[in-house]
Amino acid sequence: GRFGESVRRMAQSILEAGLAHNVASDAHDVGKRAPGASREIEAAGLGPLAEWLTETVPAAILGGSETIPPRPSYTPPRRGLAGRLRPRRRRQIESP
């Protein structure tokens, strides 16, 4: 959310749709844009994906793996009053 609401919504939509396989920081400095993204992913309600996006998949890429480890399932965060009133459902997105 540091770059505005529309950027936050777009990033969250990409993550929830399963279109991102890893997340990294461009880390300008330790104050304003410190390295790491796990805390932000967890704060956005996508905690089960944090380790997969920031550690598991990058390690597989750096290790030369030909396959991506399976994406964990998670329950998308509820948004707004209508979202809180609807029953929750677990979303499992298959890795390509």
Side-chain angles (χ1 to χ4, degrees):
R2 288 181 279 174
F3 297 104
E5 183 62 19
S6 62
V7 173
R8 186 199 62 77
R9 279 193 320 252
M10 181 63 170
Q12 192 155 1
S13 294
I14 289 169
L15 290 168
E16 288 178 2
L19 299 175
H21 291 87
N22 60 50
V23 174
S25 168
D26 57 355
H28 288 252
D29 59 51
V30 296
K32 292 183 181 180
R33 291 166 83 175
S38 294
R39 192 171 34 240
E40 287 83 0
I41 293 168
E42 289 175 13
L46 302 167
L49 299 178
E51 183 178 341
W52 186 79
L53 288 164
T54 62
E55 296 178 31
T56 306
V57 174
I61 292 169
L62 292 173
S65 177
E66 292 186 22
T67 60
I68 296 173
R71 179 184 173 109
S73 62
Y74 72 99
T75 302
R78 296 178 178 191
R79 294 193 187 116
L81 179 61
R84 289 192 299 270
L85 294 176
R86 275 183 272 169
R88 291 188 134 201
R89 62 188 167 107
R90 294 191 67 76
R91 198 182 278 184
Q92 177 66 44
I93 300 172
E94 299 296 322
S95 295

